[in-house]
Amino acid sequence: MSRQPTTASATAGSLTHLAVAGYRSLQQLTLPLGAQPHGGLTLVCGANGCGKSNLYRALGLIGAAARGELVAALAAEGGLPAVFWAGPERTSSAMRRGEQPVQGSSGRREAARLRLGIAGETLSYAIELGYRAEDHTSAFVLDPEIKREWIWAGGPFHPRSLLVQRTGAVVERCGEGGRSQPIALEVSPHESLFTAASDPLEAPEVFQLRRTILSWRFYDSFRTDRQAPARSGRIATRTPSLAADGGDMAAAVQTILEIGDSDAFQAAIADAFPGCHLTVDTSAPLFQLQLHQPGLLRPLEASELSDGTLRYLLLAAALFSPRLPPLLVLNEPENSLHPDLLAPLARLIAAVAERTQVWVVAHAEALITALEDSPGCTLLRLERELGATVLPGQTVLERAAWRWPA
Ligand SMILES: Nc1ncnc2c1ncn2[C@@H]1O[C@H](COP(=O)(O)OP(=O)(O)OP(=O)(O)O)[C@@H](O)[C@H]1O
Ligand SMILES: [Mg+2]
């Protein structure tokens, strides 16, 4: 029997904007996200070096904040000196017109701030990081510190909609009439409010938003080499959503066949590979994927499939998850796929985007063309202007849809 996958539980409401400031080429950028009642598609494209991966990473950093791993994630990227916007604090119109050389004070430590924010229909969040305060007793002068965090109700920030605020080591709940009540003291500058104040009774908004962000799924170029996790078996347990490395693909496919929309899944496989269908050999604890193809006397296992075929099957297994995440992020899913597979891939993505929010970074014009007219698609064609990522044609009103809390 085939069942429809459940619609993603949008506990924090659909996301409407992503805002980033001071991170790599994202000097100051607010982007609208494709949002419709149950899903929406955000399609990010642009020339090499325009900032697509930086945006993908920025989303990943918000995920790291929710897991309590933001400072470690920034350290893994080379620390603040590497990730701070390397241009001047302000870019004048004369600089943009080329009438004045690019100059300024990129190195003012105390002024350097990296800010990330996400606006949702019901809850929004922003975080600000900077260098630690001058401390002559410590050698860790380049450590990033979480300076401030905010959670507020609704999309655009207004002081009256503030629910929870973190200033330095103190997290407080903002009550009626401006009264606030501390809910965590002595919070480490490396710890976000998501881990410092996650009690569901004391801070339900923090708990709810954290749970939503933790369930975002990121899929970035699945490995398909001979030693790729997807090619070797793994002890199978029920797997409603595929792991980021695809190592549990056979279990994820078996889960789709048992409790997901198996008919549509098999139709999507046949759409890409005519006459083919998938089964899973479950006779041993290490489940084996089997692709049945016309003309062969036996099905082929994951270890025998071509790179492109395996990658497509991994994408299909991720997109047919019986438990869709509230946000599904695909970084350059078309890599190493033959152009013939791009139209079926676009159909797959568009169908999922009717049920949950999907963010796709894409290069292939054929994929972009096939997706841009799908319902609820927001196409973001990024460019670079004096080193900074920009979204050309954005109006003042569109930019004003996001305001950083002060
Ligand atoms: N600290 C920084 N300050 C300013 N710019 C930076 C900083 N770190 C990296 N960049 C720039 O960010 C730009 C965008 O990089 P990104 O990897 O996001 O590009 P992309 O759009 O994903 O390109 P590709 O299509 O090649 O993958 C690069 O050109 C890089 O020079
Ligand atoms: Mg990139």
Side-chain angles (χ1 to χ4, degrees):
M1 197 190 69
S2 171
R3 287 176 230 190
Q4 284 289 322
T6 51
T7 299
S9 57
T11 49
S14 294
L15 299 175
T16 57
H17 291 87
L18 169 68
V20 189
Y23 176 66
R24 295 188 182 271
S25 62
L26 311 174
Q27 179 193 13
Q28 185 72 254
L29 194 65
T30 299
L31 295 176
L33 271 69
Q36 53 181 22
H38 299 293
L41 174 64
T42 309
L43 185 56
V44 182
C45 63
N48 292 128
C50 70
K52 303 180 295 296
S53 296
N54 289 345
L55 271 172
Y56 174 85
R57 287 197 197 104
L59 265 176
L61 289 176
I62 296 174
R67 291 192 304 277
E69 296 168 1
L70 177 57
V71 169
L74 287 170
E77 288 194 31
L80 288 184
V83 303
F84 265 137
W85 157 243
E89 251 176 87
R90 276 187 193 76
T91 311
S92 67
S93 358
M95 286 183 204
R96 274 192 218 102
R97 288 194 303 270
E99 293 162 12
Q100 196 184 53
V102 175
Q103 56 193 359
S105 51
S106 72
R108 275 210 303 129
R109 258 179 108 256
E110 68 279 14
R113 287 284 183 271
L114 189 166
R115 291 183 288 182
L116 305 163
I118 198 97
E121 277 165 349
T122 51
L123 288 176
S124 300
Y125 169 72
I127 182 168
E128 182 179 282
L129 294 109
Y131 285 112
R132 52 183 288 158
E134 225 38 270
D135 174 1
H136 299 294
T137 64
S138 171
F140 299 106
V141 288
L142 295 179
D143 266 15
E145 261 188 12
I146 299 174
K147 305 282 185 190
R148 304 192 66 184
E149 288 174 280
W150 304 263
I151 291 178
W152 66 95
F157 176 78
H158 190 281
R160 276 201 303 274
S161 49
L162 200 54
L163 298 168
V164 180
Q165 169 166 233
R166 179 249 185 88
T167 311
V170 178
V171 180
E172 53 193 3
R173 188 161 228 302
C174 309
E176 299 278 306
R179 277 191 306 276
S180 53
Q181 184 193 348
I183 48 176
L185 302 166
E186 299 178 24
V187 179
S188 147
H190 294 171
E191 194 182 4
S192 87
L193 61 71
F194 286 117
T195 46
S198 59
D199 185 300
L201 296 177
E202 206 170 30
E205 308 81 6
V206 180
F207 179 81
Q208 196 181 47
L209 195 54
R210 177 169 192 248
R211 218 170 62 153
T212 303
I213 297 175
L214 288 181
S215 46
W216 293 355
R217 286 274 168 279
F218 293 79
Y219 295 104
D220 183 7
S221 52
F222 289 113
R223 272 180 60 194
T224 54
D225 56 277
R226 293 292 114 193
Q227 278 72 44
R231 290 196 186 274
S232 50
R234 188 182 282 181
I235 299 284
T237 56
R238 186 168 283 222
T239 304
S241 70
L242 183 76
D245 69 359
D248 52 5
M249 177 164 68
V253 168
Q254 182 60 26
T255 309
I256 295 168
L257 298 180
E258 285 184 16
I259 64 166
D261 191 350
S262 57
D263 291 347
F265 177 67
Q266 296 288 14
I269 302 301
D271 186 24
F273 309 109
C276 294
H277 72 279
L278 274 177
T279 55
V280 180
D281 177 1
T282 58
S283 58
L286 293 186
F287 286 9
Q288 284 295 348
L289 195 76
Q290 299 185 315
L291 181 66
H292 301 256
Q293 329 188 19
L296 296 189
L297 296 174
R298 66 167 180 87
L300 295 188
E301 296 188 348
S303 59
E304 301 169 294
L305 299 175
S306 78
D307 293 354
T309 306
L310 183 62
R311 183 157 288 144
Y312 192 89
L313 296 181
L314 281 159
L315 286 165
L319 292 167
F320 270 92
S321 161
R323 197 192 296 149
L324 283 172
L327 177 68
L328 207 153
V329 187
L330 302 174
N331 196 30
E332 300 181 8
E334 72 273 38
N335 275 354
S336 98
L337 295 186
H338 186 273
D340 286 354
L341 288 178
L342 298 186
L345 177 63
R347 287 191 278 276
L348 249 180
I349 293 173
V352 176
E354 286 180 18
R355 299 199 197 98
T356 195
Q357 282 192 292
V358 183
W359 171 286
V360 180
V361 176
H363 261 298
E365 213 41 58
L367 182 64
I368 296 162
T369 313
L371 280 174
E372 67 181 326
D373 294 329
S374 57
C377 175
T378 296
L379 176 65
L380 306 174
R381 273 191 196 275
L382 303 178
E383 288 181 12
R384 278 221 299 170
E385 192 179 273
L386 288 182
T389 301
V390 294
L391 183 62
Q394 215 175 14
T395 64
V396 177
L397 209 64
E398 282 163 349
R399 264 187 240 123
W402 174 270
R403 207 148 53 90
W404 291 105

